[in-house]
Amino acid sequence: MAPTSARVVVAGASMAGLRAAEQLRAAGWTGAITLVGDEPHMPYNRPPLSKEVLAGKAPFESLAFRPRASVADVEWRLGTRVVASRLAERTVVLDDGSELSYDGLVAATGMRPRRLRCPGPLAGRHTVRTLADAQGLRAELTRPGARVVVVGAGFIGCEVAATAVGLGAAEVTVVDPLPLPMVGPLGELLGRALLARHKERGVRFALGTGVAGFAGEDRVTGVILDDGTVLPADVVVESVGSLANTEWLGGNGLDLTDGVLTDEQLRVGGRPDVVAVGDVARFPNARYDGVPRRVEHWCIPTDTAKHAAKVLTGAEPAPFAPLPTFWSDQHDFRLQSFGAPALGMDDVRVLEGDPAGDVLVGYHHDDRLVGVVALGGPAIASAAARHRADLLKQPALTA
Amino acid sequence: MKVVVDMNKCQDHGQCVFAAPEVFQLDANGRLAYVSDPDDALLDEVEEAADVCPLQAIRIEA
């Protein structure tokens, strides 16, 4: 057990940081815990930002997590960032220049939105990552007659486009270099079904084109596509992926090429006293091919925190092997996934229903089901859930 | 313990069912039903269910 003077520093005070603190207590850590986070808020739930918060249906109080009683005594340093670290000295440096020493360190600094780097004004261009982002975007989306261009047809882009249509925006157009929305995580069959559903509900698309720049002087008035076409725009949303917040770990000899590389126990740099959790962690999943990947699903902060807390308190559990799961709510339908569709894109089959209506799609590798995605209402989502137990039971998929 | 689910928040994701099947179920229509006074021995499972609820709609009272 930790001496009472021992301290774990958690860099990052969002969902992953909170869950790490709670799970450290659950794993028996009785020492001090200090969480350092750059946002001024206590940890809150981000999925509603692109939906209920934009739609004006969710005040902050409804987003805030309710921390467990076991973390009532932890120290929260909010509005503060960790800017550097010296792992050999077990020390992190905060943005006010002060230093914190630690006995254990949890890297939970998450992601920030990637921005488009092309010519044009910045005003009127938004991202959706924080509460402040969503509130700022809402103020502009709700102006009467707003014409909205969403750049990027992934999770956030599709959700924001659906919400904007629901708010009564005059025009909503989604731009993406790929030929179908969410084609990376879903594949072509569901990408086509998703495209049709969005179009039926009033979303326009400009697919197979990138963005060359933004029109306007002080403020964006249009989005210039690769072929020179200008889409008039009062509001632009950039949903073109995210970048890992790892700069503070530089200079320690770590692999930070895309997030923080960990081993199968979520340890960083082979150190027993440093772990990474949440979407900044690039970990091998023992369930699959052993290739380290970052995973930006909502369940990952909780899954990683539970495992990493055991490791940081001295246990050696079986290698980390979460079953991936994600969902996305758009318009009046939901996407619900279990397993790893990305590993079964070469053999995609309709398991139930029809792509024109509610549908359940299976993704196979060597004739074995490795992932399912449901598109539609609650009944088809339940059908996806019925495959979860089988996906959990399967032996590891080796490359 | 006492379990309260904010049914205004619940969107029938069913993640709680995987975590604590003795306490949470989805009915034939995919809607949530749950036991509001489960045995204290199920605390770990119910805490897990509260953690994994995408809407954070589950509250545990001692």
Side-chain angles (χ1 to χ4, degrees):
Chain A
M1 205 48 56
T4 48
S5 62
R7 171 160 58 188
V8 171
V9 169
V10 182
S14 187
M15 184 188 192
L18 169 64
R19 293 293 187 238
E22 292 175 333
Q23 292 298 330
L24 280 164
R25 287 286 183 249
W29 176 259
T30 56
I33 299 175
T34 300
L35 291 103
V36 184
D38 60 345
E39 284 187 80
H41 309 286
M42 287 290 282
Y44 59 91
N45 202 20
R46 295 189 195 275
L49 296 180
S50 52
K51 299 173 289 263
E52 290 86 349
V53 173
L54 277 190
K57 294 175 187 165
F60 176 71
E61 305 78 63
S62 72
L63 306 184
F65 289 110
R66 279 185 300 274
R68 290 188 185 179
S70 63
V71 294
D73 63 340
V74 307
E75 180 189 11
W76 296 89
R77 298 264 192 111
L78 301 177
T80 304
R81 273 187 318 125
V82 176
V83 294
S85 56
R86 299 189 302 274
L87 302 189
E89 297 170 36
R90 295 185 167 191
T91 298
V92 295
V93 183
L94 308 187
D95 56 5
D96 64 1
S98 65
E99 301 193 345
L100 275 178
S101 62
Y102 63 78
D103 299 276
L105 176 64
V106 180
T109 39
M111 313 293 291
R112 61 182 181 271
R114 194 166 80 79
R115 300 305 304 256
L116 290 167
R117 298 198 175 279
C118 47
L122 271 172
R125 292 163 55 187
H126 296 259
T127 58
V128 185
R129 178 76 189 179
T130 66
L131 182 66
D133 292 343
Q135 288 169 330
L137 175 57
R138 172 172 166 74
E140 295 200 353
L141 274 185
T142 49
R143 286 184 190 160
R147 295 165 301 178
V148 183
V149 173
V150 178
V151 185
F155 286 85
I156 302 283
C158 286
E159 291 181 1
V160 168
T163 306
V165 165
L167 280 171
E171 288 174 15
V172 180
T173 308
V174 178
V175 180
D176 198 290
L178 295 174
L180 292 168
M182 294 183 71
V183 68
L186 299 180
E188 289 184 14
L189 192 156
L190 278 181
R192 279 194 296 274
L194 194 62
L195 177 64
R197 281 168 181 253
H198 274 280
K199 284 183 170 173
E200 284 164 13
R201 287 160 179 78
V203 180
R204 305 174 186 196
F205 285 85
L207 297 171
T209 176
V211 169
F214 294 95
E217 294 295 322
D218 300 330
R219 187 190 157 84
V220 68
T221 58
V223 175
I224 306 165
L225 304 181
D226 282 342
D227 67 358
T229 307
V230 179
L231 297 175
D234 304 298
V235 188
V236 173
V237 180
E238 299 179 23
S239 47
V240 291
S242 42
L243 301 171
N245 296 319
T246 57
E247 289 80 0
W248 65 281
L249 281 166
N252 289 289
L254 302 176
D255 181 340
L256 304 174
T257 42
D258 176 28
V260 188
L261 178 66
T262 78
D263 65 11
E264 74 287 353
Q265 298 291 16
L266 302 173
R267 278 182 299 243
V268 175
R271 294 175 176 275
D273 56 347
V274 185
V275 292
V277 298
D279 45 18
V280 80
R282 181 159 56 96
F283 60 87
N285 187 336
R287 183 177 296 281
Y288 299 116
D289 52 11
V291 177
R293 296 183 179 91
R294 284 190 316 94
V295 180
E296 294 184 41
H297 300 163
W298 181 85
C299 53
I300 284 295
T302 302
D303 289 344
T304 51
K306 186 169 280 188
H307 192 95
K310 290 177 188 157
V311 171
L312 201 58
T313 51
E316 187 72 17
F320 188 52
L323 183 76
T325 174
F326 68 77
W327 85 92
S328 176
D329 287 320
Q330 301 170 21
H331 303 285
D332 53 349
F333 56 84
R334 173 175 297 166
L335 287 153
Q336 175 72 60
S337 174
F338 297 99
L343 300 180
M345 285 293 174
D346 294 334
D347 186 356
V348 179
R349 308 173 200 169
V350 173
L351 301 181
E352 289 183 35
D354 185 289
D358 285 10
V359 66
L360 177 66
V361 174
Y363 300 77
H364 303 74
H365 183 89
D366 283 345
D367 211 32
R368 195 177 98 192
L369 186 72
V370 293
V372 293
V373 181
L375 169 62
I380 202 73
S382 294
R386 285 197 288 277
H387 290 275
R388 179 178 176 274
D390 288 335
L391 291 165
L392 270 173
K393 272 185 291 197
Q394 288 180 358
L397 183 75
T398 47
Chain B
M1 95 192 92
K2 192 164 163 42
V3 174
V4 182
V5 180
D6 182 341
M7 294 306 285
N8 292 322
K9 280 189 174 180
C10 175
Q11 293 181 6
D12 308 305
H13 280 262
Q15 292 290 330
C16 53
V17 180
F18 306 134
E22 299 94 332
V23 179
F24 302 95
Q25 289 108 40
L26 293 182
D27 67 18
N29 298 317
R31 302 298 176 193
L32 182 72
Y34 68 100
V35 179
S36 59
D37 56 347
D39 194 287
D40 287 355
L42 294 168
L43 179 61
D44 281 356
E45 287 90 335
V46 176
E47 282 189 329
E48 162 100 19
D51 280 354
V52 300
C53 171
L55 282 301
Q56 294 291 288
I58 301 171
R59 200 167 74 242
I60 304 164
E61 295 172 358

